[in-house]
């Protein structure tokens, strides 16, 4: 009997699961021209050694009747309980906290990457459930581009530049020069929130170059753009991009290359910016010579590039990673000011973009109709915190903080409900986060795996993976809606988030409010038919649900593939005013200037990178690049075969340049400590070229395995989780976003005694059942 072939999808692509009894093999879709190798990681999804097999309660919490909050991993053992008792405990704690503290004391935490499905979207599920109970404190923004989104609202009046930039087809037809601050790494193009049925971005980049477009990119890493694109690499240290951007603007201004007509008609504030470039505010002209001293990029390189950008049809692209830094909001003012001075905003193939190459969906046409979406209901609680400030909120309840021109107070959070994510992947300063999570009265986590967050919960509920559920897959940038057929039955006692919430809601007397009397397939049919009605209203057609489910897919009606960002505004700025106070591009925002934030005065501005406190080491610190890994999505399926193959002897790699390694006595594949005042991380050195001197690179997503007993300052992690070292500080008071790329570290060889102690500590953790060793 031949294996059953079942089509499913994920954030990194559509795949086929070949089910032959208990054996499952995962193959990329044959329809995908450039499938992601991340598909290989699915082989770890059903490994019972890594799964939460039944509900667990922290024994010390249970015995102390909820009064024990010392949630250090390994110090307390979990005890298995029945679903009946787990649901009773959960319902009781929710009722208690709401009665005693109010709904504002509940934090509905979910980052939404648990599944590409439209129904089993963890964030929608937990928010719908909590809204049925009277609401919760939520979060605003993202770790990926929190600074950029806030800044764009003030500069352009919307985030359309992120959600719908100029299409790839238009760039191929018209763009002559693509200048990137940050790269176009292929690993990012494998992933898209909501999935991708066919990876097209690599092909678009190939066609762009074949059509004659040149690519120039500023990055600390040469491999930030695929070698086949023959792009020009201009090496630069993280945080120094703004100096180059200002100098490019200076050349355009001083050499008469700036488009004064566009600046006068479509922008406000260019006079303030011009004065700043010439040094009227601080006595420092932002000339190429000045920029060379700040960034190491040659003054003549900057002059030549500015002239070339002015003569060619040029698009300026800012990668998301570049704004994940101290004062990252200013980078948006910088690239938009540069594009405006070039005079090409709103022209086909010219202007500015924020995120080409950052996901598979950027630059693709969008759906004409809203996709199937689980309604979350209305949250009566108006309190929300910037997503990257969760540790601040837990540690400092009632404290005042500034955010986007307003003053707020952190709520007193007493119950943390986490579903569909792992903050021990994406948050910064994990030692601080671990301390913050000792404060709430109760933490509940839905998780398939023993993640860092699951280990610090009081109640751990075994959630199924996407392979164990039926769903509908789709993304706004994808032309197909996919039927996600369940591949296998649930592992152990795992249940879907929906089933967990439905049972708990029924116990709390709001069962129908949550599930509306529908089971999983009932909801899928309902959401699909709602979508089909919108499709027909838009003049298109889609098959009935039963036909869709049998066929496996339905075509999504898409907008035309010839979009030009800001084209309508360029054609008629009076008829198509931007949603800014002036209706124009605000190169200087009087509104933001009025907030009184010294770090972000409302225009492009240079601020030197903060320096790490000295540790008395013989060699200076290295600037650390902490980008997303190429072997997995965030920390998901860390134990998958492709993820594990990219480790060095089972240890997370840190890349370091040849000269930097030599002066520190570090050899290739040697075990080292990467450290600063916050802590230390064990890693394996990968020594090579293609990096700016003074820079190291280590990807996020490794397990958080803190140990004690080693003579190292701060939190010591033997799992390789680099976010032990990144500083938990808001990008600025404007965005309060993640600033992970403003981090400095030292690196030294690990001694034999330290290696033995670290290996023993890790082995001891693995003997407890693998807890903490799988990302979410």
């Amino acid at each position: 009997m031949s294996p059953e072939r079942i089509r499913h999808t994920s954030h990194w692509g559509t795949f086929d699961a070949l089910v032959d009894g208990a054996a499952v093999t995962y193959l990329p879709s044959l329809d995908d021209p450039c499938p992601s190798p991340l598909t290989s990681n699915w082989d770890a999804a059903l490994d019972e050694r890594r799964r939460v097999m039944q509900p667990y309660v922290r024994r010390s919490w249970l015995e102390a009747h909820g009064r024990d909050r010392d949630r250090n991993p390994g110090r307390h053992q979990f005890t298995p309980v029945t679903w009946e008792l787990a649901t009773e405990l959960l319902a009781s704690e929710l009722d208690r906290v709401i009665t005693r503290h109010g709904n504002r004391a509940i934090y509905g935490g979910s980052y939404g990457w648990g599944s590409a499905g439209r129904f089993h979207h963890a964030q929608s599920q937990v928010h719908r459930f909590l809204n049925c109970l009277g609401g919760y404190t939520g979060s605003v923004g993202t770790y990926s581009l929190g600074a950029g989104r806030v800044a764009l609202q003030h500069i352009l009046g919307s985030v359309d530049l992120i959600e719908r930039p100029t299409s790839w087809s238009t760039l191929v037809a018209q763009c002559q020069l693509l200048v990137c601050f940050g790269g176009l790494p292929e690993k990012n193009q494998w992933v898209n929130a909501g999935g991708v049925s066919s990876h097209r971005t690599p092909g678009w980049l190939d066609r762009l170059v074949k059509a004659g477009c040149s690519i120039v990119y500023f990055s600390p890493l040469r491999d930030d753009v695929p070698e086949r694109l023959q792009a020009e690499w201009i090496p630069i240290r993280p945080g120094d991009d703004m100096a180059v951007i200002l100098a490019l603007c200076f050349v355009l201004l001083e050499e008469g290359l700036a488009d004064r007509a566009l600046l006068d008609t479509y922008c406000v504030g260019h006079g303030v910016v011009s004065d700043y470039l010439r040094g009227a505010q601080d006595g420092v002209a932002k000339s190429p010579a000045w920029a060379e001293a700040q960034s190491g990029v040659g003054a003549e390189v900057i002059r030549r590039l500015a002239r070339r950008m002015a003569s060619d049809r040029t698009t300026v692209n800012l990668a998301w990673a570049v704004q994940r830094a101290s004062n990252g909001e200013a980078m948006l003012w910088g690239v938009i000011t540069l594009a405006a001075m070039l005079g090409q905003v709103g022209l086909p193939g010219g202007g500015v973009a924020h995120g080409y190459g950052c996901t598979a969906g950027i630059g693709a046409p969008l759906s004409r109709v809203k996709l199937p979406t689980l309604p979350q209901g209305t949250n009566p609680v108006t309190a929300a915190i910037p997503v990257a400030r969760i540790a601040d909120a837990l540690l400092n309840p009632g404290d005042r903080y500034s955010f986007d021109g307003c003053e707020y107070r952190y709520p007193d959070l007493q119950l943390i409900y986490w579903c569909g994510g792992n903050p021990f992947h994406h948050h910064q300063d994990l030692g601080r986060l671990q301390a913050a999570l000792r404060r709430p009265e109760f933490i509940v986590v839905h998780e398939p795996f023993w993640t860092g967050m699951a280990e610090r919960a009081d109640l751990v509920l075994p959630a199924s993976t996407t392979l164990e559920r039926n769903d509908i897959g789709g993304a706004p940038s994808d032309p197909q809606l996919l039927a996600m057929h369940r591949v296998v039955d649930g592992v152990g006692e795992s249940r879907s988030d929906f089933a967990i919430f439905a049972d708990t809601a029924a116990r709390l007397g709001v069962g129908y409010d949550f599930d509306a009397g529908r089971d999983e397939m009932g909801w899928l049919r309902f959401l699909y038919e709602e979508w089909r009605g919108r499709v027909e209203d838009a003049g298109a057609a889609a098959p009935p649900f039963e036909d869709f489910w049998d066929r496996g897919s339905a075509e999504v009606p898409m907008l035309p593939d010839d979009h030009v960002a800001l084209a309508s505004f360029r054609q008629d700025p009076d008829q198509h005013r931007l949603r800014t106070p002036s209706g124009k591009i605000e190169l200087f925002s009087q509104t933001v200037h009025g907030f009184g934030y010294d770090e972000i005065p409302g225009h492009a501005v240079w601020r030197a990178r903060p320096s790490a406190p000295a540790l008395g080491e013989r060699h200076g610190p290295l600037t650390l690049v902490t980008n997303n890994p190429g072997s997995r999505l965030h920390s998901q399926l860390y134990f998958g075969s492709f993820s594990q193959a990219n480790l060095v002897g089972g240890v997370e790699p840190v890349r370091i340049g040849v000269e930097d390694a030599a002066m520190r006595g570090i050899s290739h594949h040697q075990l080292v400590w990467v450290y600063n005042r916050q802590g230390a991380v064990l890693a394996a050195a990968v020594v090579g070229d293609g990096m700016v001197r003074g820079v190291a690179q280590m990807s996020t997503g490794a397990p958080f395995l803190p140990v004690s007993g080693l003579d190292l300052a701060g939190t010591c992690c033997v799992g390789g989780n680099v976010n032990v070292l990144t500083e938990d500080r808001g990008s600025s008071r404007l965005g309060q976003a993640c600033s992970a790329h403003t981090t400095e570290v030292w690196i030294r060889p690990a001694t034999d005694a330290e290696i033995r102690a670290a290996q023993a500590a890790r082995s001891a953790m693995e003997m407890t059942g693998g807890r903490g060793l799988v990302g979410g």
Side-chain angles (χ1 to χ4, degrees), residues 17 42 76 346 606 679 698:
W42 280 117
H76 303 94
W606 165 254
M698 193 169 180

Side-chain angles (χ1 to χ4, degrees), residues 10-13 35-43 187 190-191 629-634 636-637 640-643 646:
S10 67
H11 293 299
W12 49 90
S36 166
L38 300 187
T39 298
S40 302
N41 286 334
W42 280 117
D43 58 13
K187 64 182 178 64
W190 292 336
V191 173
S631 59
R632 55 188 178 266
L633 171 57
H634 301 151
Q636 291 188 37
L637 302 177
S641 57
F642 185 67
S643 173
N646 282 270

Side-chain angles (χ1 to χ4, degrees), residues 223-277:
D223 60 5
D224 236 1
V225 171
E227 186 177 359
R228 72 176 192 280
L229 299 179
Q230 299 180 318
E232 179 185 351
W233 175 43
I234 301 180
I236 193 169
R237 294 187 301 268
D240 291 346
D241 305 77
M242 180 59 83
V244 172
I245 291 170
L246 293 172
L248 290 167
C249 293
F250 181 90
V251 174
L252 298 176
L253 180 66
E254 293 301 296
E255 296 190 5
L257 299 174
D259 190 327
R260 295 305 301 263
L262 183 136
L263 293 171
D264 291 338
T265 305
Y266 297 89
C267 305
V268 295
H270 63 88
V272 174
V273 175
S274 296
D275 288 345
Y276 176 72
L277 292 172

Side-chain angles (χ1 to χ4, degrees), residues 6-300:
I6 301 174
R7 176 63 56 91
H8 209 75
T9 194
S10 67
H11 293 299
W12 49 90
T14 301
F15 61 94
D16 291 324
L18 301 184
V19 182
D20 188 0
V24 185
T25 304
Y26 305 94
L27 301 175
S29 169
L30 296 175
D31 300 326
D32 194 336
C34 188
S36 166
L38 300 187
T39 298
S40 302
N41 286 334
W42 280 117
D43 58 13
L46 305 178
D47 186 346
E48 294 185 0
R49 297 172 300 171
R50 312 297 179 189
R51 293 290 295 268
V52 180
M53 296 295 289
Q54 64 186 98
Y56 282 88
V57 177
R58 185 175 292 277
R59 184 179 295 118
S60 60
W61 179 89
L62 192 63
E63 293 171 350
H65 303 288
R67 292 189 297 272
D68 181 84
R69 304 187 195 178
D70 192 356
R71 299 183 174 101
N72 282 332
R75 186 174 294 181
H76 303 94
Q77 297 295 320
F78 289 88
T79 187
V81 295
T82 65
W83 269 110
E84 177 69 20
L85 178 57
T87 306
E88 178 183 336
L89 290 172
L90 175 57
S92 176
E93 283 300 295
L94 285 163
D95 182 66
R96 181 188 65 79
V97 170
I98 291 171
T99 301
R100 179 176 297 181
H101 303 289
N103 288 76
R104 182 184 168 94
I106 299 175
Y107 183 69
S110 171
Y111 208 46
W113 282 95
S115 167
R118 305 296 302 177
F119 172 62
H120 290 293
H121 180 245
Q123 189 179 79
S124 298
Q125 291 280 347
V126 69
H127 290 174
R128 179 181 175 86
F129 170 74
L130 293 175
N131 282 337
C132 290
L133 301 180
Y136 60 96
T137 291
S139 61
V140 294
T142 69
Y143 284 86
S144 296
L145 64 165
R149 282 186 172 271
V150 173
L152 283 173
Q153 295 282 3
H154 291 287
I155 305 168
L156 299 179
S158 75
V159 295
D160 291 349
L161 198 66
I162 297 171
E163 297 176 352
R164 199 182 181 202
T166 296
S167 67
W168 283 115
S169 62
T170 301
L171 287 185
V172 170
Q174 300 287 344
C175 186
Q176 297 172 307
L177 178 62
L178 178 61
V179 177
C180 300
F181 292 91
L184 300 164
E186 194 157 81
K187 64 182 178 64
N188 292 353
Q189 300 160 31
W190 292 336
V191 173
N192 194 44
V196 51
S197 60
S198 181
H199 291 84
R200 303 289 183 186
T201 302
W204 280 118
L205 285 168
D206 290 341
R207 286 192 285 276
L208 183 68
V209 172
K210 187 176 180 180
C213 180
S214 298
I215 300 174
V216 176
Y217 65 109
F218 292 85
S219 172
L221 309 174
R222 183 170 60 198
D223 60 5
D224 236 1
V225 171
E227 186 177 359
R228 72 176 192 280
L229 299 179
Q230 299 180 318
E232 179 185 351
W233 175 43
I234 301 180
I236 193 169
R237 294 187 301 268
D240 291 346
D241 305 77
M242 180 59 83
V244 172
I245 291 170
L246 293 172
L248 290 167
C249 293
F250 181 90
V251 174
L252 298 176
L253 180 66
E254 293 301 296
E255 296 190 5
L257 299 174
D259 190 327
R260 295 305 301 263
L262 183 136
L263 293 171
D264 291 338
T265 305
Y266 297 89
C267 305
V268 295
H270 63 88
V272 174
V273 175
S274 296
D275 288 345
Y276 176 72
L277 292 172
R278 289 175 170 139
Q281 296 180 20
D282 55 10
V284 178
K286 310 309 179 292
S287 67
W290 166 84
E292 180 175 4
Q294 305 301 325
S295 68
V297 177
E300 191 55 35

